Amino acid sequence: MPKPVRKEVFPPARVRRYLEPGPIVLVSSHWQGRDNIMTLGWHMIMEFSPSLLACMISRGNHSHRMIRESGECVVNLPTTRLTDEVVGIGNCSGAGTDKFAAFGLTAEPASEVRAPLIGECHASFECRLHDDALVGKYDLFVFEVVKAHVAPSPRHPETLHYTGDGVFMVSGRIISRRPLFRPEML
């Protein structure tokens, strides 16, 4: 039987250290003949079919307007080999920087949207804006993934999970409990 864990009071403004929803992604966009990339950690799955993904994209980001105007983007999943690029992309604005050129990344054509895939990423998900009802109030975009591209190997890539203060946690050891799940819950 597991034993209770001793806890200490912790600043509420720093709970993101424990609750970041998933791996860091690179969101690519295209509008008015220009491409851009932003680093994003605030996203969540909302539905399985259709595949809906919500992303909180602050209006302070250059990508916000590009995505709002175009109604589409590509959510790309980098692995740990792109850690420095992830940080660099997050530290500059696409308003004055061609981030594909600056960080040596390959813009590959998508098939369903105009935003490019990032060739060096493990996976790329082409997205169209599905619902913008919460964009004005919370900068929360709800996208439908209309096409997915995933490298077949490794099956469980090492991804980055931001914990704040310039620190990332790397996805770790895989633990399977598949036999314990009811089939409809997998």
Side-chain angles (χ1 to χ4, degrees):
M1 189 70 127
K3 296 185 189 251
V5 176
R6 186 181 73 78
K7 297 173 189 74
E8 297 177 350
V9 174
F10 191 80
R14 297 186 64 207
V15 298
R16 72 181 284 187
R17 172 186 238 178
Y18 299 100
L19 297 178
E20 280 291 332
I24 291 296
V25 296
L26 295 173
V27 180
S28 53
S29 54
H30 178 88
W31 186 58
Q32 293 186 332
R34 295 195 61 212
D35 294 332
N36 192 37
I37 310 170
M38 71 169 290
T39 299
L40 179 79
W42 297 344
H43 54 82
M44 65 181 169
I45 295 294
M46 293 188 67
E47 183 61 74
F48 301 127
S49 185
S51 182
L52 300 182
L53 172 67
C55 298
M56 198 296 284
I57 302 172
S58 170
R59 69 194 75 222
N61 286 308
H62 181 65
S63 294
H64 183 281
R65 182 165 184 221
M66 292 181 72
I67 293 168
R68 183 83 191 249
E69 296 293 335
S70 68
E72 59 187 35
C73 65
V74 177
V75 175
N76 300 274
L77 179 67
T79 60
T80 54
R81 72 185 181 101
L82 293 175
T83 302
D84 292 345
E85 289 81 357
V86 163
V87 173
I89 288 166
N91 281 334
C92 67
S93 172
T97 304
D98 175 347
K99 294 185 185 184
F100 279 96
F103 297 99
L105 298 174
T106 308
E108 296 180 342
S111 59
E112 300 295 323
V113 300
R114 291 182 52 171
L117 313 179
I118 299 175
E120 291 76 11
C121 285
H122 181 79
S124 298
F125 309 116
E126 298 181 42
C127 298
R128 283 203 188 100
L129 187 59
H130 179 79
D131 188 340
D132 67 353
L134 297 174
V135 172
K137 188 170 184 178
Y138 297 109
D139 293 330
L140 189 70
F141 292 75
V142 178
F143 297 108
E144 179 179 355
V145 178
V146 294
K147 186 148 191 185
H149 311 263
V150 178
S153 177
R155 186 167 178 183
H156 301 285
E158 287 188 341
T159 55
L160 298 166
H161 301 256
Y162 191 61
T163 63
D165 298 323
V167 176
F168 293 91
M169 182 171 48
V170 177
S171 59
R173 176 171 72 95
I174 303 302
I175 300 171
S176 175
R177 293 294 186 269
R178 189 178 181 98
L180 300 178
F181 279 80
R182 294 191 331 249
E184 69 275 11
M185 301 305 287
L186 288 173

